[in-house]
Amino acid sequence: MNRIHKLFKEKGSRALSIYFTAGFPELESTMGIMEAIQRGGADIIEIGIPYSDPVADGPTIQDSNMIALENGISLKKIFEQLEDFREKISIPVVMMGYLNPIIQYGMEAFCEKCQEVGVDGLILPDLPMQQYLDEYKVLFEQYGLVNTFLISPQTSEKRIREIDENTSGFIYMVSSHSITGAKAGISDEQISYFERVKAMNLKNPRLIGFGISDSETFSKASEYSNGAIIGSAFIKTVKDSKNLSEDIQGYIQSLIN
């Protein structure tokens, strides 16, 4: 059983997924950050593949992408860093990124490498569903990778049901129609959207992302879904850290306790 399926079978609520940018703050930070995320008590690790034009991301993640690229990170380098990560990391690991660098690497070569090192799933925000169904679904399944699609407050019920039908990991609920970034609190408008999707009784688990940054927003999001994804606020913690391992574990503990 894929680790993501196993997680949601065993843990129906308050699942915490932490996103970080590979190669940030230093080129070789990747494994140390993953170990600290796991020790802190997170449930899923999302490895961001740096890209020169991350259009869905706010300034914090854009900045981390630029620094990682300047540090010399590449998909080839990320896979080298992940070579033996399953000796230390037991929780699900997802790779998140834009299509361009993956297609340049070669989609089948990418999927094969993900399986080889032990990656469980993919989040590719700019992958059109029809292209996934026509070209990549069989490939993802062949290499044991679950695929996650995103929905937003603007996504129609028909489209959400179509996404639910064609998702095999979890649904990424974008909390607002905006770029990524930590925001203060959760609005009534967002709660109305969360309630609407919850009432649809989808077959896939749902994680809420964009604007989740502290224990209050994590708990609120978890009332309406299976948990939440934290990215920008975590990147800020990493950027400001004087002791990465301690600060990462402390931040994650502050969210879940």
Side-chain angles (χ1 to χ4, degrees):
M1 182 185 288
N2 185 287
R3 290 177 192 88
I4 292 169
H5 295 150
K6 189 169 185 286
L7 168 68
F8 288 111
K9 192 176 179 186
E10 294 172 356
K11 184 169 186 170
S13 64
R14 290 181 66 83
L16 174 62
S17 182
I18 295 286
Y19 167 97
F20 77 97
T21 305
F24 172 86
E26 306 294 337
L27 179 60
E28 299 295 346
S29 299
T30 304
M31 270 311 302
I33 289 175
M34 290 174 73
E35 289 178 52
I37 290 172
Q38 177 170 271
R39 278 198 299 269
D43 300 291
I44 300 173
I45 297 171
E46 278 182 36
I47 304 171
I49 303 166
Y51 181 48
S52 55
D53 188 26
V55 290
D57 293 305
T60 301
I61 292 178
Q62 282 190 17
D63 183 52
S64 71
N65 273 242
M66 292 306 107
I67 291 169
L69 290 169
E70 285 165 11
N71 287 343
I73 201 67
S74 65
L75 254 181
K76 182 174 181 290
K77 182 66 178 171
I78 294 170
F79 283 129
E80 284 172 9
Q81 293 175 341
L82 296 178
E83 198 64 53
D84 301 309
F85 86 87
R86 279 296 169 202
E87 291 176 8
K88 296 178 177 177
I89 305 294
S90 59
I91 63 175
V93 170
V94 173
M95 291 187 82
M96 181 172 186
Y98 296 86
L99 266 180
N100 191 291
I102 295 169
I103 287 172
Q104 285 182 27
Y105 187 89
M107 183 60 85
E108 180 156 13
F110 174 77
C111 292
E112 187 175 10
K113 202 68 186 167
C114 283
Q115 183 187 53
E116 186 184 305
V117 298
V119 170
D120 302 289
L122 303 174
I123 305 173
L124 307 175
D126 59 342
L127 172 61
M129 182 184 291
Q130 201 55 53
Q131 186 178 7
Y132 164 72
L133 294 174
D134 293 344
E135 298 178 37
Y136 301 138
K137 184 173 188 282
V138 172
L139 206 55
F140 286 18
E141 289 173 352
Q142 180 185 337
Y143 291 103
L145 299 167
V146 300
N147 183 53
T148 286
F149 284 109
L150 287 74
I151 64 171
S152 77
Q154 281 68 40
T155 310
S156 68
E157 178 171 341
K158 182 183 177 206
R159 182 67 173 173
I160 291 172
R161 295 214 178 272
E162 188 182 358
I163 283 169
D164 188 42
E165 191 57 41
N166 292 299
T167 293
S168 58
F170 58 90
I171 291 172
Y172 189 138
M173 284 182 66
V174 175
S175 68
S176 59
H177 189 60
S178 67
I179 55 174
T180 59
K183 299 169 185 70
I186 290 176
S187 68
D188 291 342
E189 188 182 2
Q190 287 172 300
I191 287 173
S192 170
Y193 155 59
F194 299 163
E195 287 175 335
R196 175 168 60 86
V197 176
K198 185 178 182 181
M200 290 175 69
N201 293 314
L202 303 176
K203 68 182 177 71
N204 284 285
R206 305 170 320 284
L207 295 181
I208 294 174
F210 287 46
I212 313 299
S213 61
D214 54 24
S215 61
E216 184 185 348
T217 47
F218 174 61
S219 292
K220 182 59 75 175
S222 296
E223 287 176 30
Y224 301 96
S225 67
N226 301 86
I229 298 162
I230 296 182
S232 295
F234 180 77
I235 297 288
K236 282 180 182 166
T237 299
V238 168
K239 186 177 182 182
D240 298 339
S241 173
K242 298 291 184 284
N243 184 318
L244 264 184
S245 184
E246 279 184 20
D247 293 341
I248 287 170
Q249 290 177 72
Y251 175 65
I252 292 171
Q253 286 293 309
S254 77
L255 296 167
I256 60 180
N257 289 336

